[in-house]
Amino acid sequence: MNLTTRQLRIFVLLAETLSFQRTAEMLHVTQPTLSKLLKETEETLGVKLFERTTRMVRLSREGQDILDTARKITALHEKGMLELDQRLRDRHNRVAIAALPTLAASIIPLLIQSLARRHPPVRVDVFDPIANEALQLLRERRVDIAVTTMNEAGASDLVYQELYTEPFVLFHSVQVKPGIAHWAPAELARLPLISMPPGTSVRVLTERAFQAASQPFNPVYSLRDLNTIARFVQHDCGIALLPESSLDNATQRGVRKTRLRQALSRSVGMYVRRESQPSRLLRHTLDELRRLGRDRQSSS
């Protein structure tokens, strides 16, 4: 039987979505191409995998019978390919890191600069997803390290080491005087606050702190891109309530920072897989992150 893992993956995806449109979008192919690929799979297997009408798609009895096996095969193949990619990263002096957007914009450039002094030079692959996505990339072996905030729910398959803690501060334009010097959610709520979108670690921590004070958190803008936030602040469109490392007010002209007494803070650290056997390059990268964390902590 000459059946490819791609054909099996298409079958599994379509079985999960039961939508030709959504599956085609996920695979970045047209619907006619998807129909052609599925037809080739059915001809190879000699069975009809789906029952289709103009209004619905559902698995056939034969499709239901083989779905579990197809899932196991595709999962095993993907795991093997990810392990192979990790070995190739080690061999070719590459390290892959997932970091929250605020951290990818602050500590990761310093790490790349430091690693660049090595010979042979190190290539750093960087991803900047939200917190849960960063840990998922680590679990899937797509990255070697996740630099993020501590996951309070715990992760038995991962190991966390804190690098530093940092407070939340107010970023505002030079024309603005926030008129607040301590952490007080009721007073902060009266400001035209800018935060990051729901689901991001910054937003979750902020909402949790406001809820603890029985204060709703309703920012006027929820923006993910830090450059966009900086522009909004520069043009006096609001005041950003973010971790201190989020914006470098030394390079953002027209942006000022106000520290708050007893402010909310976050733990920034790195996760690695508990079962991983780090290569020499990965150990060096972890050491560099620890050094950068100590430097940031001592300067705060």
Side-chain angles (χ1 to χ4, degrees), residues 43-60:
E43 289 175 349
T44 301
L45 291 170
V47 297
K48 201 77 169 173
L49 296 174
F50 294 92
E51 296 174 359
R52 285 162 277 177
T53 69
T54 55
R55 292 186 299 176
M56 60 164 286
V57 178
R58 69 182 180 188
L59 276 168
S60 67

Side-chain angles (χ1 to χ4, degrees), residues 27-294:
L27 295 170
H28 306 290
V29 299
T30 64
Q31 289 188 52
T33 298
L34 177 61
S35 296
K36 180 175 180 292
L37 291 169
L38 179 62
K39 183 179 178 181
E40 291 173 354
T41 303
E42 291 176 328
E43 289 175 349
T44 301
L45 291 170
V47 297
K48 201 77 169 173
L49 296 174
F50 294 92
E51 296 174 359
R52 285 162 277 177
T53 69
T54 55
R55 292 186 299 176
M56 60 164 286
V57 178
R58 69 182 180 188
L59 276 168
S60 67
R61 180 174 297 179
E62 292 83 358
Q64 292 173 357
D65 288 343
I66 70 170
L67 178 58
D68 189 50
T69 300
R71 279 181 171 146
K72 290 177 181 177
I73 293 172
T74 54
L76 187 61
H77 176 265
E78 183 173 4
K79 181 182 178 182
M81 293 302 294
L82 291 171
E83 289 179 354
L84 176 61
D85 184 57
Q86 183 183 4
R87 289 182 180 275
L88 289 174
R89 286 200 299 270
D90 293 344
R91 187 177 184 86
H92 296 290
N93 230 39
R94 289 169 49 218
V95 61
I97 300 174
L100 300 185
T102 53
L103 302 172
S106 55
I107 193 171
I108 300 304
L110 299 176
L111 174 67
I112 293 173
Q113 186 178 53
S114 174
L115 293 176
R117 302 188 186 102
R118 285 174 56 88
H119 183 78
V122 178
R123 173 180 169 178
V124 183
D125 299 329
V126 181
F127 302 82
D128 59 348
I130 61 177
N132 290 339
E133 293 174 357
L135 296 185
Q136 188 60 32
L137 288 171
L138 181 61
R139 289 189 169 103
E140 293 174 353
R141 297 177 179 271
R142 298 181 188 276
V143 299
D144 305 296
I145 308 168
V147 180
T148 178
T149 56
M150 183 173 64
N151 185 341
E152 293 184 1
S156 60
D157 58 328
L158 305 176
V159 178
Y160 178 80
Q161 181 178 352
E162 184 174 273
L163 298 174
Y164 60 91
T165 59
E166 64 174 341
F168 279 58
V169 302
L170 295 175
F171 292 101
H172 50 87
S173 71
V174 293
Q175 293 84 14
V176 169
K177 293 184 178 180
I180 179 172
H182 63 283
W183 179 266
E187 295 181 37
L188 289 168
R190 291 196 286 267
L191 300 175
L193 295 177
I194 300 173
S195 184
M196 303 199 80
T200 58
S201 66
V202 166
R203 182 63 172 265
V204 169
L205 286 172
T206 308
E207 288 177 340
R208 191 177 298 160
F210 271 60
Q211 288 170 1
S214 300
Q215 177 64 52
F217 182 65
N218 299 305
V220 293
Y221 295 108
S222 298
L223 305 170
R224 179 168 180 171
D225 186 86
L226 295 174
N227 285 326
T228 303
I229 292 176
R231 292 292 186 183
F232 272 54
V233 169
Q234 287 170 335
H235 292 282
D236 202 13
C237 296
I239 297 173
L241 178 60
L242 298 173
E244 190 168 22
S245 66
S246 300
L247 299 181
D248 182 1
N249 62 314
T251 59
Q252 300 288 351
R253 296 180 60 185
V255 175
R256 294 292 181 269
K257 175 173 62 179
T258 294
R259 292 188 174 92
L260 303 171
R261 293 192 297 273
Q262 299 180 322
L264 170 69
S265 64
R266 70 172 179 176
S267 169
V268 174
M270 55 188 181
Y271 279 97
V272 295
R273 291 182 298 278
R274 187 177 296 277
E275 45 78 26
S276 69
Q277 298 295 324
S279 64
R280 185 171 61 178
L281 172 59
L282 184 53
R283 289 196 300 270
H284 180 76
T285 304
L286 295 171
D287 287 342
E288 282 299 301
L289 282 168
R290 293 185 188 100
R291 182 186 64 79
L292 291 169
R294 289 193 299 269

